[in-house]
Amino acid sequence: MSQYSVAKPLGLPKVGVRRRARRSFSRHWTLYLLMLVPLVHLAIFKYVPMTNAVIAFKDYNIIKGVWGSDWVGLRNFQLIFRNPVFWQLVQNTFLLSFYAVIASFPVPIILALALNEIRQGIFKRTVQMVTYAPYFISTVVVVSMTIMILSPQTGLISHVTGFFGVDRTDLLADADYFRHIYVWSDIWQTAGYSAVIYLAALAGVDQSLYEAARVDGASRLQKIWHVDLPSIMPTAVIILVLAVGNIMSIGFEKAFLLQNPMNLSSSEIIATYVYKTGLLNADFSQATAIGLLNSVVNLVLLVFVNFAAKRLTGSGVWS
C-alpha cells in the first residue's frame, strides 16, 4: 500500500507532461514543422562537423581518414604550448579582440541614443541609412577601400597629412597602427547595424517614464541618463556578454587581408595561424588542436562573463 501511494504521485507528472506535449504538438504542428528546417540545418552543418574535431587527438593521415588515424592523446596540445610563437599569437588575438570590444561597445549605444533624440524624420532616416549601409559591404571591399585610403602614394590620408607638411608614411607597414586600422574600420562598418538593436530596445520604453521625467523638469541628458540607459541596459549586457564570449574568435578574413610581412608581429592572430598551419602546411591535427583550445577558452570566458553579468546587473544570456 505504501509503495503504491509513493509510485502514484511520481507517475502522474510524466503522463501529464506527455499529454501536454501531444496536445501542444497537435495544436501548433505548423510551428514545429517550421522549426524542423533550422534544426536539421544546425545538426548537419554545425554539430556533425564537430565530430571531426577528434583529429586534434590524432596523428591525422589523409589516407586513413579521421577515424582510422592513430591516436596520439594530448601530444598536439603539448606541441602547441612548446611552440614559441603560440604565446605571441594569444597576446595578439587577445589585445586585438579586447580593443575591438572596448572600442566598439559604446559607439552603437551613443549612435542609437542620438538617433532617438532626432525629431526630423528625413534627417533621421538619412543618417540611419548612411550608417547602416557599410554593414552590407563585403569585407574584401572594405579592406580594399582601407588599403586605397591608407596608400602612401595615392591615399586620402597621405594627401591630408602632406598638406600640413607631414611626411607620407605607409600606415599598414607599421605594426603599431594595425590594431587601430582594424578596429576603427570595423566600427565604421558595423556601428550602424548594431545601433538598430538598441533603437528597437528604445522603441519599447514605456512612454509614461518620459512623461514623468518631463513633469519633473528633466533635461534631455537627464532623460537619457535616467530613462533611456536603464531601459536598454539588459540588451547592452547581453550583447557585451556575447562579445566577450567570442573575444578569442576575432574574424580571420579581415586580419588576413590586412596582413603583410611588415605588420606580421601584431597582425598574426590565432585564426590566421590556424589557416596557415592547417591548409598551407597541411598539419590538420595541429590546426584543429589550436582551434579547439581557442573554442574552450571562449566557452570559459562566456560562462564567466555571463555569471558576472547576472550577479552585477541581473541580466544574462541564460539563467
Side-chain angles (χ1 to χ4, degrees):
M1 183 66 183
S2 60
Q3 290 179 351
Y4 175 75
S5 60
V6 171
K8 189 176 180 181
L10 291 174
L12 280 176
K14 293 181 180 178
V15 175
V17 169
R18 290 172 184 170
R19 186 176 297 170
R20 285 197 298 272
R22 283 197 297 269
R23 191 179 300 166
S24 175
F25 183 79
S26 61
R27 286 181 178 176
H28 310 293
W29 65 272
T30 52
L31 294 177
Y32 287 108
L33 190 62
L34 283 174
M35 287 174 57
L36 187 63
V37 176
L39 287 176
V40 170
H41 178 272
L42 279 174
I44 293 175
F45 296 104
K46 300 294 181 182
Y47 289 98
V48 172
M50 283 185 190
T51 58
N52 292 326
V54 74
I55 66 173
F57 304 94
K58 291 191 166 194
D59 182 14
Y60 177 67
N61 187 307
I62 196 168
I63 297 175
K64 294 181 180 178
V66 173
W67 299 104
S69 300
D70 300 327
W71 290 94
V72 294
L74 298 175
R75 193 186 71 181
N76 289 319
F77 295 93
Q78 292 171 349
L79 291 175
I80 291 172
F81 288 110
R82 290 174 189 166
N83 189 341
V85 180
F86 176 70
W87 294 111
Q88 183 64 36
L89 295 174
V90 172
Q91 181 183 348
N92 287 343
T93 307
F94 181 78
L95 288 177
L96 186 62
S97 303
F98 186 72
Y99 183 11
V101 170
I102 294 299
S104 63
F105 177 67
V107 174
I109 297 176
I110 296 171
L111 181 61
L113 292 172
L115 287 171
N116 193 49
E117 290 299 314
I118 296 175
R119 294 291 174 259
Q120 293 182 347
I122 296 177
F123 180 68
K124 182 177 182 178
R125 285 194 292 272
T126 303
V127 173
Q128 256 188 293
M129 187 186 67
V130 169
T131 56
Y132 191 73
Y135 181 78
F136 296 99
I137 301 175
S138 166
T139 303
V140 177
V141 176
V142 170
V143 170
S144 301
M145 293 168 61
T146 306
I147 292 173
M148 289 176 64
I149 292 171
L150 298 177
S151 170
Q153 286 80 32
T154 59
L156 176 65
I157 301 296
S158 293
H159 281 89
V160 173
T161 55
F163 180 78
F164 292 101
V166 179
D167 292 336
R168 296 182 177 186
T169 55
D170 188 357
L171 298 178
L172 274 175
D174 193 333
D176 293 336
Y177 290 107
F178 174 79
R179 294 191 184 104
H180 303 298
I181 295 169
Y182 182 100
V183 170
W184 290 104
S185 62
D186 194 62
I187 290 173
W188 171 77
Q189 187 179 11
T190 60
Y193 179 80
S194 302
V196 173
I197 300 171
Y198 296 108
L199 282 172
L202 286 169
V205 177
D206 189 352
Q207 294 299 314
S208 63
L209 296 176
Y210 292 124
E211 294 295 333
R214 196 174 297 116
V215 170
D216 290 341
S219 63
R220 281 194 170 188
L221 286 177
Q222 288 173 327
K223 189 188 68 176
I224 291 172
W225 184 258
H226 293 290
V227 178
D228 290 341
L229 281 177
S231 300
I232 64 174
M233 190 56 67
T235 305
V237 168
I238 290 173
I239 290 176
L240 181 63
V241 169
L242 292 175
V244 174
N246 210 30
I247 199 167
M248 297 297 284
S249 296
I250 197 160
F252 153 79
E253 192 177 14
K254 191 172 184 181
F256 184 72
L257 293 172
L258 285 173
Q259 195 175 79
N260 61 54
M262 288 173 283
N263 64 24
L264 203 60
S265 59
S266 63
S267 64
E268 189 74 297
I269 58 176
I270 290 177
T272 57
Y273 187 77
V274 167
Y275 166 75
K276 294 173 184 175
T277 304
L279 294 181
L280 301 185
N281 298 335
D283 191 349
F284 301 107
S285 295
Q286 189 76 201
T288 306
I290 297 172
L292 191 60
L293 187 64
N294 194 38
S295 300
V296 171
V297 172
N298 275 328
L299 179 62
V300 172
L301 283 173
L302 179 63
V303 172
F304 175 76
V305 174
N306 187 69
F307 174 76
K310 286 286 291 182
R311 294 295 298 269
L312 293 174
T313 66
S315 300
V317 179
W318 68 86
S319 301

